[in-house]
Amino acid sequence: MIVLDSNQLRHVLPGSPLYGLLSAVAGRAGHTLATTDVALAEVVRQRKEDLGAALKAWTTAGFEARRLMLTDRNRIKTLALHPKQLHGRRRGIAHEQSLELERRLRAAFLVLDTLPEDALSAILMEAQHLPPCEHGMGARDATIYLTTLRAAVAPQISASGEALPLLFVSEDGDFSRFKLPVGLGFDALREVKVLHQRTVVATLNTLGFPKSAANSDDVVARPEFQQALVEAVINSPIMPIRLLRQAEEAVEVRIYRQAGAPAESCTGDGVTVTSMTGEWSIRFVEQVMPVRPNGMPGGYRGFGMRAEGTALLVEGGSHSPSVELNSLVLSFPDR
């Protein structure tokens, strides 16, 4: 069985090239794709919030476009849905779409239900500051992992009669420090073995698809990556309003790789998946300054910032290349 945490499940949605690849590879190896009820609920909630925010931005943009038009304002009605109609319906649309996403996820993945006693144990672990909840938080992670361990008690059997290991896929490093506490009724789980994989690329490698190093600078230079990073930065709730306005007025955006491990890539069934963790410098240029009298570059007017996180680039098949960013942390060293 391959159990996906929420930070990986959002990349492997039904209908995506990555889902097609992972499901085919897992099926050939005898594995079932699965997730937990808690991880599924988190992914559905995130998608609902993202869609609601996008519909709100669309509504605002529609009203602003009508305000700025001097003539023929009704031409805006040629949009698929008029902003005034959308304004009253966006919550309903987001709710309907989230229900549809949940339906598709439940059809594509085996959903593991959390036992009430495991949920209670996770809360007690958080209350007692037991790993991985030693800082008084992490009951969600503990619940997901306990549910995963339950699923590994009776392993799946391959076509050749071998017991298959359970692969748990999550970029969250806290799971590597998970220890079953004494006295909470976990004796049956102490001998259970789970292989923790950080990324889908690592999982594909475990299933027999060799991974190779990729040039991180080449990935950063790709238009798909740069567009995804800029959109993530602009849509971040911690982006200061003043800087957001400057970013929207920028005539150029310069993105450079600052640090991070080499990218890893894996290809199978016509799909290439590249995973990269790093830190990137982003410079929003409002105006390029003239060359200085001494011949040195004049610099630029604008502002710089940094972003740190994990990127997943998927390309192949009939789909355009797509980039997903996870665990994005922004900093403004010059501010």
Side-chain angles (χ1 to χ4, degrees), residues 119-162:
L120 176 59
S121 296
I123 294 174
L124 291 174
M125 292 171 67
E126 184 176 280
Q128 297 171 18
H129 288 205
L130 299 174
C133 310
E134 60 264 51
H135 299 299
M137 54 186 178
R140 166 205 165 278
D141 289 348
T143 300
I144 290 174
Y145 204 66
L146 288 172
T147 304
T148 300
L149 289 175
R150 297 281 182 196
V153 171
Q156 289 186 293
I157 306 300
S158 69
S160 60
E162 297 179 272

mmCIF file of all heavy atoms in Angstrom, residues 119-162:
data_model
loop_
_atom_site.group_PDB
_atom_site.id
_atom_site.type_symbol
_atom_site.label_atom_id
_atom_site.label_comp_id
_atom_site.label_asym_id
_atom_site.label_seq_id
_atom_site.Cartn_x
_atom_site.Cartn_y
_atom_site.Cartn_z
ATOM 1 N N ALA A 119 -7.399 8.817 17.561
ATOM 2 C CA ALA A 119 -7.543 10.273 17.620
ATOM 3 C C ALA A 119 -7.344 10.764 19.050
ATOM 4 O O ALA A 119 -6.676 11.778 19.295
ATOM 5 C CB ALA A 119 -8.906 10.684 17.094
ATOM 6 N N LEU A 120 -7.907 10.044 20.023
ATOM 7 C CA LEU A 120 -7.746 10.417 21.428
ATOM 8 C C LEU A 120 -6.281 10.291 21.850
ATOM 9 O O LEU A 120 -5.747 11.159 22.549
ATOM 10 C CB LEU A 120 -8.632 9.544 22.314
ATOM 11 C CG LEU A 120 -8.503 9.758 23.824
ATOM 12 C CD1 LEU A 120 -8.832 11.205 24.195
ATOM 13 C CD2 LEU A 120 -9.409 8.789 24.574
ATOM 14 N N SER A 121 -5.622 9.207 21.418
ATOM 15 C CA SER A 121 -4.212 9.023 21.766
ATOM 16 C C SER A 121 -3.357 10.143 21.197
ATOM 17 O O SER A 121 -2.419 10.619 21.853
ATOM 18 C CB SER A 121 -3.716 7.671 21.229
ATOM 19 O OG SER A 121 -4.402 6.594 21.854
ATOM 20 N N ALA A 122 -3.675 10.581 19.990
ATOM 21 C CA ALA A 122 -2.921 11.677 19.375
ATOM 22 C C ALA A 122 -3.073 12.964 20.175
ATOM 23 O O ALA A 122 -2.104 13.713 20.360
ATOM 24 C CB ALA A 122 -3.384 11.884 17.932
ATOM 25 N N ILE A 123 -4.279 13.223 20.651
ATOM 26 C CA ILE A 123 -4.508 14.423 21.469
ATOM 27 C C ILE A 123 -3.726 14.320 22.781
ATOM 28 O O ILE A 123 -3.132 15.295 23.254
ATOM 29 C CB ILE A 123 -6.006 14.605 21.740
ATOM 30 C CG1 ILE A 123 -6.749 14.918 20.426
ATOM 31 C CG2 ILE A 123 -6.244 15.728 22.745
ATOM 32 C CD1 ILE A 123 -8.253 14.969 20.556
ATOM 33 N N LEU A 124 -3.690 13.125 23.384
ATOM 34 C CA LEU A 124 -2.929 12.931 24.617
ATOM 35 C C LEU A 124 -1.437 13.113 24.375
ATOM 36 O O LEU A 124 -0.719 13.681 25.214
ATOM 37 C CB LEU A 124 -3.211 11.546 25.190
ATOM 38 C CG LEU A 124 -4.611 11.309 25.747
ATOM 39 C CD1 LEU A 124 -4.791 9.853 26.158
ATOM 40 C CD2 LEU A 124 -4.868 12.235 26.941
ATOM 41 N N MET A 125 -0.940 12.639 23.221
ATOM 42 C CA MET A 125 0.475 12.822 22.883
ATOM 43 C C MET A 125 0.808 14.306 22.760
ATOM 44 O O MET A 125 1.878 14.754 23.202
ATOM 45 C CB MET A 125 0.801 12.094 21.576
ATOM 46 C CG MET A 125 0.732 10.582 21.679
ATOM 47 S SD MET A 125 0.868 9.765 20.064
ATOM 48 C CE MET A 125 2.563 10.175 19.639
ATOM 49 N N GLU A 126 -0.116 15.070 22.192
ATOM 50 C CA GLU A 126 0.112 16.513 22.079
ATOM 51 C C GLU A 126 0.064 17.166 23.459
ATOM 52 O O GLU A 126 0.878 18.039 23.783
ATOM 53 C CB GLU A 126 -0.937 17.138 21.160
ATOM 54 C CG GLU A 126 -0.725 18.617 20.906
ATOM 55 C CD GLU A 126 -1.724 19.178 19.907
ATOM 56 O OE1 GLU A 126 -1.515 18.982 18.690
ATOM 57 O OE2 GLU A 126 -2.706 19.806 20.359
ATOM 58 N N ALA A 127 -0.879 16.733 24.294
ATOM 59 C CA ALA A 127 -1.007 17.303 25.636
ATOM 60 C C ALA A 127 0.219 17.006 26.493
ATOM 61 O O ALA A 127 0.640 17.833 27.314
ATOM 62 C CB ALA A 127 -2.270 16.775 26.314
ATOM 63 N N GLN A 128 0.820 15.828 26.292
ATOM 64 C CA GLN A 128 1.981 15.413 27.082
ATOM 65 C C GLN A 128 3.303 15.767 26.412
ATOM 66 O O GLN A 128 4.374 15.428 26.916
ATOM 67 C CB GLN A 128 1.904 13.901 27.322
ATOM 68 C CG GLN A 128 0.688 13.478 28.124
ATOM 69 C CD GLN A 128 0.514 11.965 28.169
ATOM 70 O OE1 GLN A 128 1.446 11.217 27.893
ATOM 71 N NE2 GLN A 128 -0.694 11.532 28.526
ATOM 72 N N HIS A 129 3.232 16.435 25.247
ATOM 73 C CA HIS A 129 4.428 16.851 24.499
ATOM 74 C C HIS A 129 5.335 15.659 24.167
ATOM 75 O O HIS A 129 6.554 15.723 24.312
ATOM 76 C CB HIS A 129 5.216 17.903 25.286
ATOM 77 C CG HIS A 129 4.533 19.228 25.325
ATOM 78 N ND1 HIS A 129 5.207 20.413 25.506
ATOM 79 C CD2 HIS A 129 3.226 19.588 25.198
ATOM 80 C CE1 HIS A 129 4.350 21.434 25.497
ATOM 81 N NE2 HIS A 129 3.132 20.937 25.316
ATOM 82 N N LEU A 130 4.716 14.573 23.682
ATOM 83 C CA LEU A 130 5.476 13.404 23.256
ATOM 84 C C LEU A 130 5.781 13.518 21.769
ATOM 85 O O LEU A 130 4.960 14.003 20.998
ATOM 86 C CB LEU A 130 4.671 12.123 23.527
ATOM 87 C CG LEU A 130 4.310 11.863 24.995
ATOM 88 C CD1 LEU A 130 3.396 10.650 25.107
ATOM 89 C CD2 LEU A 130 5.579 11.651 25.831
ATOM 90 N N PRO A 131 6.970 13.061 21.309
ATOM 91 C CA PRO A 131 7.330 13.165 19.877
ATOM 92 C C PRO A 131 6.292 12.487 18.990
ATOM 93 O O PRO A 131 5.827 11.402 19.330
ATOM 94 C CB PRO A 131 8.677 12.435 19.800
ATOM 95 C CG PRO A 131 9.218 12.512 21.191
ATOM 96 C CD PRO A 131 8.028 12.446 22.102
ATOM 97 N N PRO A 132 5.875 13.090 17.883
ATOM 98 C CA PRO A 132 6.398 14.350 17.330
ATOM 99 C C PRO A 132 5.632 15.585 17.807
ATOM 100 O O PRO A 132 5.594 16.583 17.106
ATOM 101 C CB PRO A 132 6.182 14.137 15.830
ATOM 102 C CG PRO A 132 4.904 13.362 15.758
ATOM 103 C CD PRO A 132 4.911 12.447 16.959
ATOM 104 N N CYS A 133 5.018 15.505 18.981
ATOM 105 C CA CYS A 133 4.204 16.617 19.487
ATOM 106 C C CYS A 133 4.896 17.304 20.656
ATOM 107 O O CYS A 133 4.228 17.867 21.534
ATOM 108 C CB CYS A 133 2.831 16.108 19.920
ATOM 109 S SG CYS A 133 1.967 15.089 18.715
ATOM 110 N N GLU A 134 6.222 17.285 20.697
ATOM 111 C CA GLU A 134 6.927 17.800 21.864
ATOM 112 C C GLU A 134 6.782 19.308 22.059
ATOM 113 O O GLU A 134 7.101 19.839 23.123
ATOM 114 C CB GLU A 134 8.421 17.432 21.820
ATOM 115 C CG GLU A 134 9.169 17.963 20.606
ATOM 116 C CD GLU A 134 9.262 16.938 19.504
ATOM 117 O OE1 GLU A 134 8.217 16.367 19.141
ATOM 118 O OE2 GLU A 134 10.374 16.702 19.011
ATOM 119 N N HIS A 135 6.314 20.015 21.038
ATOM 120 C CA HIS A 135 6.114 21.462 21.172
ATOM 121 C C HIS A 135 4.632 21.808 21.401
ATOM 122 O O HIS A 135 4.228 22.959 21.225
ATOM 123 C CB HIS A 135 6.622 22.177 19.936
ATOM 124 C CG HIS A 135 8.081 21.970 19.688
ATOM 125 N ND1 HIS A 135 9.061 22.356 20.572
ATOM 126 C CD2 HIS A 135 8.736 21.369 18.640
ATOM 127 C CE1 HIS A 135 10.252 22.032 20.099
ATOM 128 N NE2 HIS A 135 10.076 21.431 18.936
ATOM 129 N N GLY A 136 3.844 20.814 21.778
ATOM 130 C CA GLY A 136 2.442 21.066 22.077
ATOM 131 C C GLY A 136 1.560 21.192 20.859
ATOM 132 O O GLY A 136 0.469 21.752 20.938
ATOM 133 N N MET A 137 2.005 20.673 19.744
ATOM 134 C CA MET A 137 1.196 20.636 18.530
ATOM 135 C C MET A 137 1.644 19.445 17.697
ATOM 136 O O MET A 137 2.737 18.914 17.889
ATOM 137 C CB MET A 137 1.324 21.937 17.729
ATOM 138 C CG MET A 137 2.731 22.328 17.402
ATOM 139 S SD MET A 137 2.783 23.961 16.621
ATOM 140 C CE MET A 137 4.564 24.159 16.421
ATOM 141 N N GLY A 138 0.784 19.020 16.769
ATOM 142 C CA GLY A 138 1.124 17.866 15.943
ATOM 143 C C GLY A 138 0.182 16.692 16.092
ATOM 144 O O GLY A 138 0.472 15.594 15.615
ATOM 145 N N ALA A 139 -0.970 16.899 16.746
ATOM 146 C CA ALA A 139 -1.921 15.800 16.905
ATOM 147 C C ALA A 139 -2.416 15.312 15.549
ATOM 148 O O ALA A 139 -2.669 14.122 15.366
ATOM 149 C CB ALA A 139 -3.097 16.243 17.770
ATOM 150 N N ARG A 140 -2.548 16.233 14.590
ATOM 151 C CA ARG A 140 -2.965 15.832 13.238
ATOM 152 C C ARG A 140 -1.974 14.835 12.661
ATOM 153 O O ARG A 140 -2.360 13.783 12.128
ATOM 154 C CB ARG A 140 -3.064 17.067 12.341
ATOM 155 C CG ARG A 140 -3.147 16.755 10.864
ATOM 156 C CD ARG A 140 -2.647 17.929 10.039
ATOM 157 N NE ARG A 140 -2.389 17.547 8.660
ATOM 158 C CZ ARG A 140 -1.283 16.949 8.244
ATOM 159 N NH1 ARG A 140 -0.343 16.615 9.104
ATOM 160 N NH2 ARG A 140 -1.130 16.642 6.971
ATOM 161 N N ASP A 141 -0.662 15.154 12.744
ATOM 162 C CA ASP A 141 0.352 14.253 12.213
ATOM 163 C C ASP A 141 0.321 12.903 12.919
ATOM 164 O O ASP A 141 0.429 11.849 12.277
ATOM 165 C CB ASP A 141 1.748 14.870 12.363
ATOM 166 C CG ASP A 141 1.964 16.042 11.425
ATOM 167 O OD1 ASP A 141 1.143 16.234 10.511
ATOM 168 O OD2 ASP A 141 2.966 16.764 11.601
ATOM 169 N N ALA A 142 0.190 12.932 14.237
ATOM 170 C CA ALA A 142 0.154 11.684 14.994
ATOM 171 C C ALA A 142 -1.043 10.835 14.593
ATOM 172 O O ALA A 142 -0.940 9.603 14.456
ATOM 173 C CB ALA A 142 0.114 11.993 16.489
ATOM 174 N N THR A 143 -2.186 11.472 14.365
ATOM 175 C CA THR A 143 -3.385 10.740 13.951
ATOM 176 C C THR A 143 -3.177 10.077 12.603
ATOM 177 O O THR A 143 -3.515 8.896 12.413
ATOM 178 C CB THR A 143 -4.589 11.705 13.883
ATOM 179 O OG1 THR A 143 -4.806 12.285 15.165
ATOM 180 C CG2 THR A 143 -5.839 10.965 13.459
ATOM 181 N N ILE A 144 -2.624 10.810 11.653
ATOM 182 C CA ILE A 144 -2.387 10.262 10.316
ATOM 183 C C ILE A 144 -1.432 9.071 10.394
ATOM 184 O O ILE A 144 -1.651 8.038 9.751
ATOM 185 C CB ILE A 144 -1.824 11.353 9.378
ATOM 186 C CG1 ILE A 144 -2.917 12.382 9.063
ATOM 187 C CG2 ILE A 144 -1.274 10.755 8.096
ATOM 188 C CD1 ILE A 144 -2.429 13.569 8.275
ATOM 189 N N TYR A 145 -0.390 9.201 11.208
ATOM 190 C CA TYR A 145 0.605 8.128 11.261
ATOM 191 C C TYR A 145 0.065 6.891 11.966
ATOM 192 O O TYR A 145 0.344 5.757 11.551
ATOM 193 C CB TYR A 145 1.869 8.623 11.956
ATOM 194 C CG TYR A 145 3.102 7.840 11.550
ATOM 195 C CD1 TYR A 145 3.569 7.906 10.242
ATOM 196 C CD2 TYR A 145 3.775 7.027 12.454
ATOM 197 C CE1 TYR A 145 4.689 7.193 9.862
ATOM 198 C CE2 TYR A 145 4.893 6.313 12.081
ATOM 199 C CZ TYR A 145 5.349 6.401 10.787
ATOM 200 O OH TYR A 145 6.461 5.679 10.394
ATOM 201 N N LEU A 146 -0.714 7.084 13.020
ATOM 202 C CA LEU A 146 -1.309 5.933 13.696
ATOM 203 C C LEU A 146 -2.264 5.193 12.757
ATOM 204 O O LEU A 146 -2.292 3.955 12.735
ATOM 205 C CB LEU A 146 -2.059 6.387 14.947
ATOM 206 C CG LEU A 146 -1.184 6.847 16.121
ATOM 207 C CD1 LEU A 146 -2.048 7.452 17.220
ATOM 208 C CD2 LEU A 146 -0.360 5.677 16.664
ATOM 209 N N THR A 147 -3.028 5.923 11.973
ATOM 210 C CA THR A 147 -3.927 5.296 11.000
ATOM 211 C C THR A 147 -3.140 4.525 9.956
ATOM 212 O O THR A 147 -3.540 3.429 9.531
ATOM 213 C CB THR A 147 -4.801 6.372 10.328
ATOM 214 O OG1 THR A 147 -5.515 7.103 11.331
ATOM 215 C CG2 THR A 147 -5.803 5.748 9.367
ATOM 216 N N THR A 148 -1.993 5.078 9.542
ATOM 217 C CA THR A 148 -1.135 4.401 8.566
ATOM 218 C C THR A 148 -0.552 3.120 9.146
ATOM 219 O O THR A 148 -0.507 2.082 8.480
ATOM 220 C CB THR A 148 0.002 5.344 8.123
ATOM 221 O OG1 THR A 148 -0.566 6.523 7.529
ATOM 222 C CG2 THR A 148 0.914 4.668 7.112
ATOM 223 N N LEU A 149 -0.111 3.163 10.408
ATOM 224 C CA LEU A 149 0.425 1.960 11.051
ATOM 225 C C LEU A 149 -0.632 0.869 11.130
ATOM 226 O O LEU A 149 -0.326 -0.320 10.938
ATOM 227 C CB LEU A 149 0.939 2.302 12.450
ATOM 228 C CG LEU A 149 2.222 3.139 12.538
ATOM 229 C CD1 LEU A 149 2.527 3.481 13.989
ATOM 230 C CD2 LEU A 149 3.394 2.393 11.907
ATOM 231 N N ARG A 150 -1.867 1.239 11.410
ATOM 232 C CA ARG A 150 -2.951 0.241 11.462
ATOM 233 C C ARG A 150 -3.082 -0.470 10.116
ATOM 234 O O ARG A 150 -3.308 -1.680 10.057
ATOM 235 C CB ARG A 150 -4.273 0.921 11.801
ATOM 236 C CG ARG A 150 -4.336 1.600 13.156
ATOM 237 C CD ARG A 150 -4.570 0.651 14.280
ATOM 238 N NE ARG A 150 -4.676 1.367 15.549
ATOM 239 C CZ ARG A 150 -4.583 0.770 16.736
ATOM 240 N NH1 ARG A 150 -4.406 -0.536 16.807
ATOM 241 N NH2 ARG A 150 -4.678 1.486 17.850
ATOM 242 N N ALA A 151 -2.946 0.302 9.030
ATOM 243 C CA ALA A 151 -3.091 -0.296 7.695
ATOM 244 C C ALA A 151 -1.944 -1.229 7.364
ATOM 245 O O ALA A 151 -2.079 -2.103 6.489
ATOM 246 C CB ALA A 151 -3.176 0.816 6.649
ATOM 247 N N ALA A 152 -0.793 -1.061 8.045
ATOM 248 C CA ALA A 152 0.379 -1.890 7.755
ATOM 249 C C ALA A 152 0.405 -3.189 8.551
ATOM 250 O O ALA A 152 1.263 -4.038 8.319
ATOM 251 C CB ALA A 152 1.651 -1.088 8.043
ATOM 252 N N VAL A 153 -0.526 -3.368 9.475
ATOM 253 C CA VAL A 153 -0.536 -4.587 10.289
ATOM 254 C C VAL A 153 -0.723 -5.818 9.409
ATOM 255 O O VAL A 153 -0.055 -6.846 9.582
ATOM 256 C CB VAL A 153 -1.645 -4.508 11.357
ATOM 257 C CG1 VAL A 153 -1.815 -5.857 12.059
ATOM 258 C CG2 VAL A 153 -1.320 -3.420 12.370
ATOM 259 N N ALA A 154 -1.638 -5.723 8.443
ATOM 260 C CA ALA A 154 -1.857 -6.828 7.500
ATOM 261 C C ALA A 154 -1.359 -6.368 6.134
ATOM 262 O O ALA A 154 -2.101 -5.714 5.391
ATOM 263 C CB ALA A 154 -3.331 -7.211 7.442
ATOM 264 N N PRO A 155 -0.105 -6.669 5.752
ATOM 265 C CA PRO A 155 0.467 -6.138 4.507
ATOM 266 C C PRO A 155 -0.188 -6.742 3.272
ATOM 267 O O PRO A 155 -0.723 -7.852 3.303
ATOM 268 C CB PRO A 155 1.941 -6.540 4.594
ATOM 269 C CG PRO A 155 1.948 -7.745 5.481
ATOM 270 C CD PRO A 155 0.857 -7.515 6.476
ATOM 271 N N GLN A 156 -0.157 -5.981 2.180
ATOM 272 C CA GLN A 156 -0.609 -6.515 0.904
ATOM 273 C C GLN A 156 0.405 -7.530 0.391
ATOM 274 O O GLN A 156 1.594 -7.442 0.682
ATOM 275 C CB GLN A 156 -0.772 -5.383 -0.117
ATOM 276 C CG GLN A 156 -1.951 -4.465 0.165
ATOM 277 C CD GLN A 156 -2.155 -3.445 -0.944
ATOM 278 O OE1 GLN A 156 -1.331 -2.572 -1.139
ATOM 279 N NE2 GLN A 156 -3.258 -3.565 -1.672
ATOM 280 N N ILE A 157 -0.082 -8.483 -0.393
ATOM 281 C CA ILE A 157 0.765 -9.549 -0.925
ATOM 282 C C ILE A 157 0.919 -9.373 -2.429
ATOM 283 O O ILE A 157 -0.064 -9.139 -3.145
ATOM 284 C CB ILE A 157 0.169 -10.935 -0.610
ATOM 285 C CG1 ILE A 157 -0.100 -11.075 0.902
ATOM 286 C CG2 ILE A 157 1.102 -12.025 -1.097
ATOM 287 C CD1 ILE A 157 1.140 -10.936 1.765
ATOM 288 N N SER A 158 2.158 -9.459 -2.918
ATOM 289 C CA SER A 158 2.421 -9.302 -4.345
ATOM 290 C C SER A 158 1.993 -10.550 -5.099
ATOM 291 O O SER A 158 1.645 -11.586 -4.512
ATOM 292 C CB SER A 158 3.912 -9.036 -4.574
ATOM 293 O OG SER A 158 4.668 -10.201 -4.280
ATOM 294 N N ALA A 159 2.052 -10.474 -6.441
ATOM 295 C CA ALA A 159 1.676 -11.616 -7.280
ATOM 296 C C ALA A 159 2.588 -12.807 -7.035
ATOM 297 O O ALA A 159 2.193 -13.961 -7.224
ATOM 298 C CB ALA A 159 1.705 -11.212 -8.750
ATOM 299 N N SER A 160 3.830 -12.536 -6.601
ATOM 300 C CA SER A 160 4.784 -13.619 -6.337
ATOM 301 C C SER A 160 4.658 -14.165 -4.919
ATOM 302 O O SER A 160 5.419 -15.062 -4.536
ATOM 303 C CB SER A 160 6.214 -13.127 -6.576
ATOM 304 O OG SER A 160 6.512 -12.041 -5.717
ATOM 305 N N GLY A 161 3.725 -13.626 -4.133
ATOM 306 C CA GLY A 161 3.498 -14.136 -2.788
ATOM 307 C C GLY A 161 4.288 -13.442 -1.702
ATOM 308 O O GLY A 161 4.256 -13.872 -0.546
ATOM 309 N N GLU A 162 4.984 -12.343 -2.023
ATOM 310 C CA GLU A 162 5.775 -11.630 -1.027
ATOM 311 C C GLU A 162 4.933 -10.543 -0.354
ATOM 312 O O GLU A 162 4.080 -9.924 -0.992
ATOM 313 C CB GLU A 162 7.003 -10.988 -1.661
ATOM 314 C CG GLU A 162 7.981 -11.978 -2.271
ATOM 315 C CD GLU A 162 9.158 -11.257 -2.903
ATOM 316 O OE1 GLU A 162 9.065 -10.897 -4.088
ATOM 317 O OE2 GLU A 162 10.171 -11.036 -2.203
#
